[in-house]
Amino acid sequence: MGFLDIRKVAKAYGQVQALHQVDVSVEEGEFLVLVGPSGCGKSTLLNMIAGLESITSGEIAIKGRVVNGLHPSKRNIAMVFQSYALYPNMTVAQNITFGLEMHKIPKPEREAALKEVGKLLQIEHLLDRRPGQLSGGQRQRVAMGRALVRKPDVFLFDEPLSNLDAKLRVDMRAEIKKLHQKLGATIVYVTHDQIEAMTLSTRIAVMNKGYVQQLGTPRQIYDEPANLFVAGFMGSPAMNLIPARVVMAEGAPQAEVTDAAGIPQLLRLPQGFMAAWEGREILLGLRPEAVTDPEGADRKAQHLQSLRNRVGLTEPAGADTFVTMSLSGRDCVARLRADAEAKPGEEFLFAVNMDKAVAFDPQSEARITN
Ligand SMILES: Nc1ncnc2c1ncn2[C@@H]1O[C@H](COP(=O)(O)OP(=O)(O)OP(=O)(O)O)[C@@H](O)[C@H]1O
Ligand SMILES: [Mg+2]
């Protein structure tokens, strides 16, 4: 039993099945991120935890107590919305302590809690202002202050940063992470931003079309995606997915791909990887950082392989240069050091780290494991 248990929870809005049998168990102090494209059911799940949506079937329990029929105010959770939902006519201080007042917490305690939260979020100098007199980032802090002041069992966040500009979003992301480390709070956080998911979470639930596609640590999700959807959704630039045929050569399974000139090239798969797949088609998954210039290659790689190929596009991005080349007729993006000498139209010797390669069954779309 976890701190927050979601057991076989489903949601139907009439004919629309918004969620199918979701099972997630969250430990105390975990930072669980729900990530996925628009309409996949993230907010629906969060709202069901909060008690703002009814549960069609299944059970949600907080600290061992089933909360299905429990009013939101009785669940000891706090939610921060994308819109912040601050009261425009109240001061920042009133906005933060309003919930405590409703719960009949005595004034001295409210004042003490306000002071603590004000200091934690560095908004002490804003307490007398109204929301209209604040910047977007400051409003966001006030909305978080209102959640923090209640000391809830679980914090729920629904895309709290999506109204902020890019720079502020990165700053606030770091603040939320610091806050989590400091407070050890249990958090469920919704975003459609895969970078936010990777940087904030202790675990990620990748969702699509009402299903949890994979639940795991950021490393597991990134290095061992369960299927093509997860592989394509997490990571930017996205994982390269190259059609390949499994052949045996020199006693080992190899992925046969074709280079830009249409000539077959072999990429050696780790021993024992997929002997059963000999002669069959797979999709070879290579992250851009697994395809580099030889000097930029990971020194710890055990299956580093050379691949000569014609360079298509080069895109300098400051610290790195992204290079596109053609493999099996698909664009394959490589991540090179900024000073690697790759020129469009010319041949280049790439280093491919096959330790990091993954493979997918093109039919079932599932990752092929040993
Ligand atoms: N009140 C409702 N009535 C009918 N269908 C709804 C209702 N609320 C949500 N849905 C549907 O349920 C599905 C999941 O919606 P939800 O809001 O949970 O998605 P989301 O993952 O939060 O998306 P976004 O990233 O756009 O916020 C969608 O298909 C949506 O159209
Ligand atoms: Mg939503």
Side-chain angles (χ1 to χ4, degrees):
M1 193 183 69
F3 193 76
L4 164 66
D5 283 318
I6 299 164
R7 304 186 195 118
K8 297 201 169 23
V9 165
K11 177 74 184 178
Y13 293 106
Q15 296 298 310
V16 181
Q17 192 71 30
L19 282 178
H20 305 262
Q21 303 258 322
V22 173
D23 272 300
V24 180
S25 184
V26 183
E27 297 303 322
E28 185 166 13
E30 260 205 271
F31 197 133
L32 176 75
V33 172
L34 308 177
V35 71
S38 186
C40 71
K42 307 179 293 294
S43 296
T44 299
L45 184 55
L46 203 72
N47 290 338
M48 288 198 291
I49 300 169
L52 304 172
E53 280 293 354
S54 64
I55 298 167
T56 306
S57 63
E59 230 171 45
I60 295 180
I62 300 173
K63 285 167 101 175
R65 177 174 68 151
V66 175
V67 298
N68 282 38
L70 209 60
H71 189 266
S73 64
K74 302 255 161 58
R75 295 188 181 198
N76 202 22
I77 43 107
M79 188 146 168
V80 178
F81 298 92
Q82 177 177 7
S83 62
Y84 316 144
L86 299 175
Y87 298 108
N89 296 323
M90 290 187 193
T91 64
V92 166
Q94 287 165 337
N95 262 288
I96 291 175
T97 55
F98 182 69
L100 298 182
E101 222 176 311
M102 296 300 285
H103 281 84
K104 305 213 167 25
I105 308 288
K107 191 160 185 206
E109 275 180 52
R110 294 200 311 256
E111 303 266 292
L114 174 65
K115 206 166 161 198
E116 191 187 332
V117 164
K119 198 167 154 203
L120 190 68
L121 294 170
Q122 296 165 11
I123 51 174
E124 293 153 299
H125 59 297
L126 304 173
L127 296 179
D128 295 327
R129 292 204 202 166
R130 287 178 207 284
Q133 300 166 307
L134 301 175
S135 71
Q138 290 168 335
R139 269 180 228 166
Q140 215 282 328
R141 272 167 213 264
V142 176
M144 289 213 318
R146 193 173 49 180
L148 286 174
V149 80
R150 308 231 332 256
K151 300 207 168 35
D153 289 329
V154 183
F155 288 94
L156 305 175
F157 289 87
D158 195 350
E159 310 225 20
L161 306 184
S162 57
N163 281 339
L164 305 178
D165 66 47
K167 161 104 173 66
L168 201 53
R169 205 151 64 208
V170 173
D171 292 349
M172 286 305 294
R173 191 171 78 199
E175 299 255 339
I176 291 177
K177 179 138 189 170
K178 272 191 234 157
L179 218 52
H180 175 249
Q181 284 172 352
K182 202 149 149 188
L183 302 176
T186 308
I187 298 177
V188 183
Y189 185 107
V190 163
T191 180
H192 58 258
D193 183 322
Q194 44 102 10
I195 312 258
E196 253 178 54
M198 289 292 292
T199 51
L200 285 174
S201 66
T202 55
R203 277 194 307 161
I204 300 176
V206 182
M207 298 174 62
N208 190 32
K209 296 182 177 159
Y211 290 94
V212 173
Q213 299 280 328
Q214 188 173 4
L215 176 67
T217 63
R219 269 286 120 221
Q220 287 168 337
I221 299 277
Y222 191 78
D223 287 339
E224 297 161 10
N227 55 43
L228 285 178
F229 176 80
V230 176
F233 190 78
M234 301 299 283
S236 177
M239 180 185 273
N240 299 295
L241 295 166
I242 312 295
R245 170 191 279 280
V246 180
V247 298
M248 292 299 284
E250 295 169 28
Q254 317 244 358
E256 187 184 86
V257 297
T258 49
D259 65 16
I263 297 165
Q265 300 273 356
L266 295 180
L267 292 170
R268 188 186 172 123
L269 295 158
Q271 197 77 43
F273 192 48
M274 302 186 294
W277 278 75
E278 189 182 350
R280 294 170 66 185
E281 298 291 328
I282 58 167
L283 282 170
L284 181 67
L286 293 170
R287 295 266 179 214
E289 65 271 22
V291 188
T292 57
D293 51 302
E295 289 81 15
D298 183 354
R299 286 204 203 98
K300 285 184 289 189
Q302 293 182 355
H303 297 89
L304 201 61
Q305 242 194 288
S306 300
L307 177 78
R308 191 171 286 285
N309 204 2
R310 193 172 67 232
V311 171
L313 199 66
T314 62
E315 294 173 282
D320 317 290
T321 293
F322 292 100
V323 166
T324 308
M325 55 154 155
S326 169
L327 277 184
S328 299
R330 299 261 181 104
D331 280 347
C332 176
V333 176
R335 184 173 183 166
L336 274 47
R337 289 172 312 126
D339 54 359
E341 307 238 334
K343 297 198 179 62
E346 291 184 9
E347 296 257 309
F348 187 78
L349 188 66
F350 294 92
V352 185
N353 182 359
M354 290 302 286
D355 292 355
K356 297 279 183 188
V358 287
F360 299 92
D361 178 342
Q363 259 75 51
S364 73
E365 303 197 347
R367 182 164 53 88
I368 300 162
T369 51
N370 301 350

